[in-house]
């Protein structure tokens, strides 16, 4: 009902769902098809790097299985042209993080171009885990009309995928298969994904102290404290830009 109601309220014709071969994007597409029908769902596959080819093929297979209209937009030439223009101004063109962020913003622009031309709404696939940790490009993946997984941690989306019988052997298990960010957030913290989601739930959602969270989850207090600090340092990605009146 959520998706159907939002479409009705916006007087839209359907939904645009970005597909990258991940569990999140696949579950989002499956829910969209289940909610409004395959005829009203547009899938977008947007590889930026040559190494995105594998996830892109997986995404196209998902679209075929769900029988949705799917389009591939190869953005590597766009990024290459962008690097050339930036280079001509004397700016650096080899900053990996900056270029990954630029790639995500190009994807966002493409999603909205397609949505505008079709009068459709853009569906976001970012989990609550990634949103809290800021594991997204600012003004990139979160630039959407509907945050489908805004309340769901990554392990909850994985459980939903199991309930929907999504073929896990087909999908890339990494959170961002088209971004090549290296080690996952959980790996950087030295814990598994389930423990990370539990730490976030107890520390952020319930406001428990580090010692209480550590005891409940079975991790060290230092891991809890580092996770909370991580969330605090990326807060700017989740909130409206500050304005002068906020200082009053």
């Amino acid at each position: 009902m959520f998706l159907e109601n939002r479409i009705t309220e916006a007087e839209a014709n359907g939904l645009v769902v970005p597909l990258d071969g991940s569990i999140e994007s696949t579950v989002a597409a499956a829910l969209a098809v289940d909610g409004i029908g395959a005829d009203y769902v547009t899938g977008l596959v947007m590889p930026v790097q040559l190494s995105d080819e594998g996830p892109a093929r997986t995404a196209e297979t998902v679209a075929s299985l769900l029988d949705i209209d799917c389009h591939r937009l190869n953005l590597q030439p766009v990024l290459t042209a962008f690097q050339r223009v930036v280079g001509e101004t004397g700016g650096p063109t080899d900053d990996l993080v900056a270029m990954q962020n630029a790639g995500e913003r190009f994807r966002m622009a493409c999603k909205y171009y397609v949505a505008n031309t079709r009068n459709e709404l853009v569906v976001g696939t970012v989990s609550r885990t990634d949103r809290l940790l800021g594991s997204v490009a600012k003004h990139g993946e979160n630039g959407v009309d509907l945050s489908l997984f805004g309340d769901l941690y990554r392990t909850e989306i994985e459980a939903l995928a199991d309930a929907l019988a999504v073929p896990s052997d087909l999908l890339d298990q990494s959170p961002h298969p088209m971004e090549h960010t290296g080690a996952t957030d959980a790996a950087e913290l030295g814990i598994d994904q389930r423990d990370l989601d539990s730490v976030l739930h107890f520390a952020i959602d319930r406001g428990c102290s580090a010692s209480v969270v550590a005891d409940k989850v079975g991790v060290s207090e230092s891991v809890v404290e580092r996770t909370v600090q991580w969330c605090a340092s990326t807060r700017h990605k989740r909130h409206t830009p500050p304005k002068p009146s906020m200082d009053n």
Side-chain angles (χ1 to χ4, degrees):
M1 289 295 291
F2 170 74
L3 294 176
E4 187 176 359
N5 289 342
R6 298 292 84 76
I7 288 175
T8 300
E9 290 174 0
E11 298 183 350
N13 297 330
L15 300 171
V16 172
V17 181
L19 296 172
D20 61 9
S22 68
I23 289 176
E24 290 89 341
S25 70
T26 300
V27 171
L31 290 175
V33 169
D34 183 64
I36 65 171
D39 290 343
Y40 302 97
V41 178
T42 302
L44 289 184
V45 180
M46 298 172 283
V48 173
Q49 306 291 344
L50 289 176
S51 51
D52 289 338
E53 182 59 27
R57 289 180 180 176
T58 297
E60 289 172 329
T61 299
V62 168
S64 178
L65 291 172
L66 292 173
D67 196 27
I68 63 176
D69 186 23
C70 182
H71 303 272
R72 176 191 282 230
L73 306 178
N74 292 309
L75 300 184
Q76 186 182 18
V78 177
L79 189 63
T80 299
F82 174 75
Q83 287 177 296
R84 183 175 64 252
V85 171
V86 170
E88 290 173 355
T89 67
T93 61
D94 58 353
D95 188 308
L96 180 60
V97 173
M99 284 302 166
Q100 286 179 337
N101 287 341
E104 275 307 328
R105 290 169 188 138
F106 291 144
R107 288 186 176 115
M108 185 269 288
C110 290
K111 285 182 284 187
Y112 271 99
Y113 180 84
V114 172
N116 290 162
T117 60
R118 292 170 173 251
N119 187 33
E120 296 179 339
L121 300 179
V122 176
V123 175
T125 65
V126 175
S127 68
R128 182 160 176 75
T129 304
D130 287 341
R131 184 172 182 274
L132 287 176
L133 292 174
S135 303
V136 294
K138 194 170 185 178
H139 306 307
E141 302 97 313
N142 274 332
V144 297
D145 295 310
L146 307 173
S147 181
L148 191 57
F149 301 137
D151 297 324
L152 296 181
Y153 288 103
R154 187 163 199 269
T155 46
E156 293 178 308
I157 298 173
E158 291 172 352
L160 187 55
D162 289 338
L164 293 172
V166 171
S168 59
D169 58 323
L170 172 70
L171 305 177
D172 192 311
Q173 302 299 310
S174 62
H176 311 287
M178 284 195 183
E179 291 181 30
H180 320 293
T181 52
T184 64
D185 296 334
E188 288 190 30
L189 288 165
I191 57 178
D192 63 28
Q193 188 66 52
R194 187 169 299 279
D195 285 345
L196 173 56
D197 287 348
S198 295
V199 167
L200 290 169
H201 170 67
F202 287 116
I204 305 300
D205 297 342
R206 296 197 179 184
C208 298
S209 66
S211 59
V212 170
V213 176
D215 183 60
K216 285 180 175 292
V217 181
V219 298
S220 68
E221 284 190 42
S222 63
V223 166
V224 178
E225 292 168 349
R226 185 180 170 199
T227 302
V228 171
Q229 178 55 42
W230 192 330
C231 293
S233 67
T234 59
R235 183 177 183 275
H236 64 97
K237 293 187 177 183
R238 299 186 293 277
H239 296 274
T240 303
K243 53 187 179 180
S245 61
M246 291 181 178
D247 289 339
N248 298 330

